Each structure stands twice: as C-alpha cells, then as structure tokens.
Amino acid sequence: EDQVTQSPEALRLQEGESSSLNCSYTVSGLRGLFWYRQDPGKGPEFLFTLYSAGEEKEKERLKATLTKKESFLHITAPKPEDSATYLCAVLGDGSGTYKYIFGTGTRLKVLA
Amino acid sequence: DGGITQSPKYLFRKEGQNVTLSCEQNLNHDAMYWYRQDPGQGLRLIYYSQIVNDFQKGDIAEGYSVSREKKESFPLTVTSAQKNPTAFYLCASSPGQGAGGYTFGSGTRLTVV
C-alpha cells in the first residue's frame, strides 16, 4: 500500500539548534517527493521537489535530501520564524494513474 | 502576482444547507484540486480536474460536488449529504496532474452551526 509517514509528529528546538525531520515513503513508480511549509490557518507553501535518490535541494536554512525509502529535511541554526508544520508528499504512477499522497506533517516550534 | 484565491476565509453552515466554496487561479494551470484537512490527518483529496468540463472523484468525494466551467475556476459545493463537513478546505493547482509542486490557496474554514 502506498503511504507516507512523517516523524516526529512535533519537535521543539532552541534557536540555533540544528535538527532533521524525516519522511518515510512507500510508493510504486515514484515521480517525485515534495516538501511544503504550512503556517497555522494558511495553505501549504511549496518548498522543494526531489526526483531521484541522492538528490539534494537547499533554501536558506533548509536542506532536503532523498534516498530510495526516505527523505530528510535538515534545518540548520533555526530561527523562531521557521516555526511551522512541514508536510511531505509523494507522487507515484505505479498503478497507471497518478497518486499524490501527503504525510500528516511535523509541527516545528523554534524557541527564542 | 499569480496565485490562487479562496473565499470566503470562514463559512458557517446550518444543518441541511448546501454551501459553495470559491476557488479562482490566475496561474494558467490546467489541473486543480480540492483537499480537506482535519487535525492529525494528512490532506485528503475530494475532487480534481485536469481540464475544463472534466473532473474526477478523489478519495472522499461523497457529499461534495464540483464544476469546472472555466479554466480559472473550480468551485466546491458541500451538500447536506456530507455528514461531517466541519474542516479546513484547501484548493490547489498545478500545470498538469503529473507536475508535482502544487500551489495552494489560503483555505476556507467551514463550521457547522
């Protein structure tokens, strides 16, 4: 069964304390893995697309990596404004139709 | 600036009432989607459309209806048949169904009163 699991569910960091969020996935015919940031009461904001194992993408304090079974979102020296829920999604087409599956997210709180 | 506009931001529905949520995009995207977000659950797909005058049911389409008469617009009607409509509704678009990164609207929070 295609699925996406994110861990931890919630994470509290001190400002400057680097850490990683995990996204484990099972999908047939991976077409891409996507990271989004969602602030409370707002729609998700697209961050990165990763297409193949070994690929990495960076944006400011965020770096996303991909293996054949999971992706990590590394947050280096986070600031309070990085507090948000981070969502992972995968797109697969192994069944002949596109399937886009979201994880339940990691709620990140960065304390000043 | 290009983007997706959802309205209203907050909506209250009485029992037995149909309500319509608006979604408009000016990104020239072919594909549009409606998702429902509940606490502790991932986004669940209600309906999607790849082209004007065509749409497909998602995983939780019961109690909902859509139309796609214009490329820019994809309204969602929550009917009285939807027994648990209180949720945060998100509209999204992408250049095509196989194109990955979605652009989302700011959402509509629907509450049953």
Side-chain angles (χ1 to χ4, degrees):
Chain A
E1 180 186 354
D2 297 337
Q3 62 181 7
V4 175
T5 303
Q6 291 188 247
S7 62
E9 287 187 16
L11 181 63
R12 291 167 68 94
L13 299 173
Q14 290 295 130
E15 185 173 3
E17 180 186 2
S18 301
S19 187
S20 297
L21 313 183
N22 178 264
C23 172
S24 298
Y25 65 91
T26 304
V27 68
S28 53
L30 179 71
R31 293 289 298 262
L33 184 141
F34 312 91
W35 283 98
Y36 294 86
R37 170 192 170 126
Q38 186 175 23
D39 293 302
K42 297 189 177 181
E45 175 190 353
F46 170 71
L47 293 173
F48 303 112
T49 304
L50 301 166
Y51 292 105
S52 58
E55 189 174 1
E56 299 181 351
K57 294 276 180 71
E58 287 189 66
K59 180 179 180 179
E60 296 181 355
R61 295 176 292 282
L62 301 177
K63 178 179 176 180
T65 61
L66 181 65
T67 72
K68 289 187 176 181
K69 294 189 175 182
E70 58 190 350
S71 176
F72 292 94
L73 185 65
H74 307 278
I75 303 178
T76 302
K79 298 182 177 181
E81 52 262 43
D82 295 322
S83 298
T85 296
Y86 290 86
L87 300 174
C88 169
V90 296
L91 174 65
D93 67 356
S95 58
T97 58
Y98 291 115
K99 187 83 172 176
Y100 204 96
I101 306 166
F102 282 89
T104 54
T106 293
R107 295 189 311 278
L108 174 65
K109 177 74 173 177
V110 182
L111 305 171
Chain B
D1 287 339
I4 295 183
T5 301
Q6 287 188 244
S7 62
K9 188 171 178 63
Y10 300 97
L11 188 57
F12 298 91
R13 191 192 95 166
K14 295 181 179 179
E15 296 284 349
Q17 190 179 43
N18 292 354
V19 292
T20 297
L21 284 59
S22 171
C23 177
E24 303 278 334
Q25 56 104 352
N26 61 1
L27 299 165
N28 199 33
H29 284 172
D30 287 321
M32 296 187 74
Y33 314 85
W34 274 105
Y35 283 91
R36 170 179 172 143
Q37 188 173 38
D38 296 283
Q41 298 195 45
L43 276 69
R44 292 184 291 167
L45 183 64
I46 304 172
Y47 268 98
Y48 66 97
S49 168
Q50 298 181 66
I51 197 169
V52 173
N53 292 323
D54 185 55
F55 46 84
Q56 307 295 329
K57 292 182 178 180
D59 300 318
I60 56 164
E62 185 175 353
Y64 300 98
S65 66
V66 294
S67 63
R68 186 89 185 273
E69 297 178 0
K70 299 186 300 181
K71 187 175 184 177
E72 303 79 18
S73 179
F74 192 42
L76 174 74
T77 296
V78 184
T79 75
S80 57
Q82 171 50 239
K83 298 307 178 188
N84 184 24
T86 295
F88 189 50
Y89 290 87
L90 288 160
C91 180
S93 72
S94 66
Q97 196 191 4
Y102 289 177
T103 301
F104 281 88
S106 56
T108 292
R109 185 165 298 281
L110 174 63
T111 303
V112 175
V113 296

